[in-house]
Amino acid sequence: MSDGKMMERKHGTRWGVAIWAVSVLTALVAMPWAASDRLPERLATHWSAGSGGPDGSMPLWAAAFLPGAIWVVLVLLAVVPARWSDGPASRPATRGWAVAGLLSGGVFLAGAQTSIVRANLDHADWRQADPVSVGAVVAFGVAAALAGLTGWAVTRRGRAVATPGAGASGPSTEDTGA
């Protein structure tokens, strides 16, 4: 692959990551605020595994900003190593895992935030919040895993195109003199 094509791919990945990071952050923080007129002052944010009833809460502002803060930390943990990894050979692999982590993390956090907001809608007190179903948790967990696998596969495909023959191993007939 030519240097120009490689630079285009690198800049495309950067823009994609930046747009994804800002979009997820905006959604995580805005979701509770957008529905604030239909939410209690404190939101149920944790449910008992045994009874399924809410057993922990946060004020609206914390329920909006805590997932956003977790997301910012995840973005930094993914972007910094990918940006400053040792040498050009390790960057594509690091970039693939960073993209997979950001896609799956963003989908998972958005699913969790959506479930929390939905469970608290139209209740006067957080203790009255609807349970979050196991099916919902499994659904956004599977969606997160699929998003991560898709991101990893797409960056792997780009890596294979960028370095043809990189998968070949072992001696060739040229190496042995045959």
Side-chain angles (χ1 to χ4, degrees):
M1 182 178 279
S2 71
D3 288 340
K5 291 271 189 196
M6 191 66 118
M7 288 299 285
E8 286 177 30
R9 182 181 300 268
K10 190 160 96 174
H11 290 298
T13 302
R14 285 182 186 168
W15 275 108
V17 167
I19 290 168
W20 177 249
V22 170
S23 298
V24 169
L25 180 61
T26 302
L28 291 173
V29 173
M31 241 186 282
W33 292 110
S36 64
D37 60 329
R38 296 178 56 197
L39 294 171
E41 287 183 29
R42 295 185 68 83
L43 300 183
T45 54
H46 189 271
W47 283 258
S48 169
S51 70
D55 64 357
S57 69
M58 289 184 188
L60 178 67
W61 68 267
F65 289 110
L66 182 63
I70 292 169
W71 175 245
V72 168
V73 170
L74 179 62
V75 169
L76 291 174
L77 288 173
V79 169
V80 170
R83 176 76 174 109
W84 287 286
S85 60
D86 295 328
S90 64
R91 285 192 186 124
T94 306
R95 191 175 303 124
W97 288 110
V99 168
L102 290 176
L103 285 173
S104 63
V107 169
F108 186 82
L109 285 170
Q113 186 73 310
T114 301
S115 294
I116 288 170
V117 170
R118 192 210 63 61
N120 285 279
L121 275 177
D122 300 323
H123 293 291
D125 186 71
W126 68 269
R127 291 174 199 86
Q128 300 167 342
D130 297 329
V132 174
S133 72
V134 172
V137 174
V138 169
F140 65 78
V142 168
L146 290 174
L149 287 171
T150 301
W152 180 79
V154 167
T155 56
R156 272 306 267 179
R157 185 180 63 104
R159 181 174 164 216
V161 169
T163 56
S169 62
S172 68
T173 55
E174 293 172 17
D175 295 334
T176 60

